[in-house]
Amino acid sequence: MEQLTNLIISDRELATISAVLLKLMNDTNATSAMLLDKSGQVVAVQGTGTRRNATTLGALLAGVFSSSREVAKLLDEKDFRNIFQQGVQENIYTTMVEEQWLLVIIFDKLTHIGLVKVLSKKASDELGRTLERVRSDTTRTKSSVLNLQFRSSVEDTIDLLFRD
């Protein structure tokens, strides 16, 4: 079972992520681009078509991706890192970012899958760097909060011991 992420994404980092998604969407002529964590939680969405269904779509796509990884294990593959779902009108390309997140691009039949693959790799690398920065910042934030709580607890205990 995939673990839920516990990250704090600043407005600045979210703007960076959204800009990468928007650029990918514009460069590929996609209708939508999403960044999810592997549990299906939506991190960011660009495009009008999926905004109102983003939570449901995110959960379903994460489930499909997780299922495909189990299929890979049954076939003695290390894993499947990409999924291409082809419909009559729309296609979905999902790729893994840094073993923790999923980049989803929804595009119509006029967009060539090769273009989507190449540009999503570039976007994935950029998102990976941003998300790694978020992960390290969150770790620092958690440790500083823990240190602050510990310090406060120790100060309270000392006050109790040496009370007049």
Side-chain angles (χ1 to χ4, degrees), residues 20-30 111 115 119 122:
V20 171
L21 293 178
L22 185 61
K23 180 172 176 21
L24 176 63
M25 200 176 86
N26 290 334
D27 291 350
T28 61
N29 201 29
T111 302
L115 177 67
L119 293 178
K122 183 178 176 184

Side-chain angles (χ1 to χ4, degrees), residues 12-158:
R12 183 184 56 138
E13 301 296 353
L14 188 58
T16 301
I17 291 167
S18 294
V20 171
L21 293 178
L22 185 61
K23 180 172 176 21
L24 176 63
M25 200 176 86
N26 290 334
D27 291 350
T28 61
N29 201 29
T31 54
S32 299
M34 302 172 67
L35 181 67
L36 315 169
D37 74 358
K38 286 195 323 187
S39 70
Q41 183 176 354
V42 178
V43 175
V45 179
Q46 288 293 327
T48 56
T50 57
R51 274 192 202 274
R52 63 192 147 112
N53 296 323
T55 303
T56 304
L57 195 57
L60 291 170
L61 290 170
V64 167
F65 200 86
S66 183
S67 296
S68 76
R69 294 189 88 181
E70 292 304 313
V71 169
K73 288 179 187 174
L74 290 173
L75 298 174
D76 292 327
E77 288 285 334
K78 182 179 178 220
D79 65 10
F80 293 151
R81 300 191 59 80
N82 307 300
I83 296 177
F84 175 55
Q85 296 167 289
Q86 187 173 9
V88 174
Q89 296 299 320
E90 299 233 77
N91 303 313
I92 301 174
Y93 181 73
T94 306
T95 187
M96 184 169 280
V97 178
E98 294 290 318
E99 299 298 324
Q100 184 62 38
W101 298 278
L102 301 174
L103 173 60
V104 177
I105 304 102
I106 301 172
F107 56 99
D108 64 19
K109 62 182 180 176
L110 299 176
T111 302
H112 193 275
I113 183 63
L115 177 67
V116 173
K117 285 182 176 181
V118 168
L119 293 178
S120 68
K121 172 67 174 127
K122 183 178 176 184
S124 178
D125 292 343
E126 193 170 339
L127 288 168
R129 287 189 297 275
T130 301
L131 292 165
E132 191 54 45
R133 197 169 49 246
V134 167
R135 190 185 333 218
S136 65
D137 287 350
T138 299
T139 302
R140 278 196 300 268
T141 302
K142 283 180 184 176
S143 68
S144 68
V145 168
L146 180 63
N147 290 339
L148 184 64
Q149 289 172 343
F150 179 72
R151 180 181 174 143
S152 177
S153 176
V154 168
E155 287 173 351
D156 290 346
T157 304
I158 289 172

